Amino acid sequence: MTAGPEPDIDVPADRVPVGAPVDRAPDGAHDAEPDGARNGAPGGGAPSGVNRYRLALTTPGALRFVIPGLLARFPIGMTGISILLFIRSVGYEFGTAGALSATSAVGFAVAAPQLARLADRIGQRRILLACAAVGAVDGALFVLSALRGAPLWTLFPAAAVMGAATPAIGSMVRARWSGLLSGSPIMSTAFALESVVDEVIFIFGPIVATFLATGVDPAAGIVCSLVLVCGGSVLLALGTATEPPRSTGPRPAGSALFLGPVAVISGVNLCFGAMWGSIDMATVAFTTELHREGLAGLLLAAYGIGSSVAGVAYGAREWNLSTTRILLGATALMALGIAPMLLVNDVVVAVLVLSLAGASSAPAMVAGMLLVQDGVPASRRTEAMAWQATAIWLGVAAGSAVSGRLADTTGSHAAYGCALAFGGVAFAVAAAGRQRVAVKPLPEPA
């Protein structure tokens, strides 16, 4: 994947890379796939359908990071609502609970790229173990402080540290996939699988958190989140065979945000996050206007299910279109797909529209991540991918704030219009940065 001389790197002896590095030519080169045994299919034929997922998951070492990565990442869909329900249970208002939840999210968004940059430099193992230790201690202090009536101001730094101590697990897992499958045509399948995992987490995480907080104990959701993220991080840290190689050269100057396509795709993902945050707020407002508040979760799940199904289908075959064109097309469809909600006034129709609108989400995300991993040196991939998570989280916060205001003053259709506008900006950013995302990666530092 890189141009120029190979770096001096530490590679575990039992690591088995799949596929040889390939150069990518500008623009159209992303649709060229290698032939022969590199595609992993018997007889040199390209794998298709379920076989692509089977080949990805049976790659030596894959399950050793996929399963821990799932466990450690599941709390992403649980932590926010767990904090909200727990803080409410100890007597605080919704505003305070929401502020603490947001503080944790901002802590994650700010710290994730910095931790990922350190992971690229000193290795994932050290970062994962350190985060697990800090997260466990801080999480316990947060819960005990709230239960014992500690001053409110002490909860905010604890919430921030709890978020900051959560490593960018998705980025670390994708960096491991990149190391195992670099140059292989099933790389897109692995990234599609990760996108589906993300959707499943966001669909079922809040359900599990709500059940634990209301059916077991108000603190159970947070405790479960801490156990999963800390335990999963330790298990992932133990999988040293698939840990990405570390550069032994000089410390890289500057942030990976300014390498290759990273800034462009981060801008696109910022808009995606704002779009999703707007859809969340608009959908809650929509069901409230129809006096069907309990159906908001169903409608949002429909969007996630549409994305998951499309993600599975996207990863099940090879595509003749370039990755850049797939990003542009899927982004345009994401924006256009939400447009009918400006006119919808029926729950059944809304379920159908949101399902179809979500179908472009996973392909757009997969294409963006593929462009990032293709456009940066291997030693900077974890940080480059972590910037995408940060962009999405910041976008969600901004979109929720803007569309929430519109929903209060104008109604749900205006909030859906806000989502459409963010989707249009995402397409404009992707189109304007088309040449930037198609460039070859920079050489590894010597």
Side-chain angles (χ1 to χ4, degrees):
M1 299 289 293
T2 60
E6 292 293 327
D8 294 322
I9 53 177
D10 298 321
V11 182
D14 56 344
R15 178 173 168 179
V16 184
V18 176
V22 294
D23 286 332
R24 302 280 183 170
D27 193 22
H30 290 282
D31 57 0
E33 298 289 6
D35 296 318
R38 251 183 53 191
N39 57 27
S48 62
V50 177
N51 283 335
R52 294 175 68 89
Y53 289 97
R54 179 181 60 80
L55 287 170
L57 290 173
T58 55
T59 301
L63 289 179
R64 294 180 184 177
F65 64 80
V66 169
I67 295 174
L70 171 61
L71 294 176
R73 203 149 90 229
F74 198 82
I76 292 176
M78 295 178 59
T79 303
I81 192 168
S82 293
I83 292 175
L84 187 67
L85 294 172
F86 172 62
I87 294 300
R88 279 285 296 154
S89 74
V90 295
Y92 289 106
E93 301 289 339
F94 274 114
T96 301
L100 284 167
S101 180
T103 299
S104 177
V106 171
F108 170 80
V110 171
Q114 313 311 319
L115 291 175
R117 187 179 186 188
L118 279 175
D120 280 332
R121 184 66 186 174
I122 67 174
Q124 291 186 8
R125 182 174 179 272
R126 296 180 185 178
I127 298 300
L128 287 165
L129 293 177
C131 285
V134 173
V137 173
D138 178 78
L141 288 175
F142 177 82
V143 172
L144 292 174
S145 297
L147 289 175
R148 295 183 177 182
L152 177 60
W153 68 266
T154 64
L155 299 182
F156 281 93
V161 172
M162 187 159 52
T166 303
I169 298 294
S171 304
M172 292 184 175
V173 169
R174 286 179 172 92
R176 291 179 184 235
W177 276 123
S178 295
L180 284 182
L181 299 177
S182 181
S184 169
I186 60 172
M187 183 74 255
S188 61
T189 302
F191 276 24
L193 177 65
E194 292 304 312
S195 180
V196 171
V197 168
D198 286 338
E199 293 292 352
V200 169
I201 287 169
F202 281 107
I203 292 171
F204 292 103
I207 296 174
V208 173
T210 302
F211 168 76
L212 290 173
T214 59
V216 179
D217 186 87
I222 293 182
V223 173
C224 181
S225 295
L226 291 170
V227 170
L228 287 175
V229 71
C230 295
S233 294
V234 171
L235 290 176
L236 186 59
L238 296 177
T240 55
T242 57
E243 185 173 353
R246 304 182 298 277
S247 173
T248 57
R251 176 181 291 273
S255 171
L257 180 62
F258 304 107
L259 294 178
V262 179
V264 174
I265 304 301
S266 296
V268 172
N269 280 325
L270 181 70
C271 296
F272 284 171
M275 185 178 182
W276 296 328
S278 297
I279 290 173
D280 286 350
M281 294 301 299
T283 301
V284 171
F286 175 78
T287 54
T288 300
E289 290 167 0
L290 296 179
H291 305 291
R292 307 287 295 275
E293 293 90 340
L295 296 180
L298 172 64
L299 268 64
L300 293 174
Y303 189 93
I305 291 170
S307 178
S308 299
V309 172
V312 171
Y314 177 81
R317 56 162 292 182
E318 294 184 68
W319 296 87
N320 292 326
L321 292 173
S322 70
T323 310
T324 304
R325 289 172 182 166
I326 291 174
L327 174 67
L328 289 170
T331 301
L333 289 175
M334 279 180 66
L336 294 175
I338 205 65
M341 286 304 300
L342 275 67
L343 304 173
V344 171
N345 289 294
D346 179 80
V347 170
V348 175
V349 177
V351 169
L352 177 62
V353 170
L354 289 173
S355 297
L356 294 175
S360 300
S361 176
M365 286 294 299
V366 173
M369 284 296 190
L370 285 171
L371 289 167
V372 168
Q373 81 110 36
D374 278 0
V376 299
S379 61
R380 308 296 299 275
R381 281 180 186 153
T382 308
E383 182 192 352
M385 292 179 183
W387 277 112
Q388 310 314 311
T390 288
I392 290 171
W393 278 103
L394 293 178
V396 168
S400 298
V402 174
S403 61
R405 179 66 176 171
L406 283 173
D408 284 336
T409 57
T410 312
S412 64
H413 289 157
Y416 279 123
C418 184
L420 173 61
F422 282 125
V425 175
F427 176 78
V429 172
R434 176 171 180 161
Q435 296 303 317
R436 178 74 173 174
V437 301
V439 299
K440 293 182 181 181
L442 296 172
E444 291 275 11

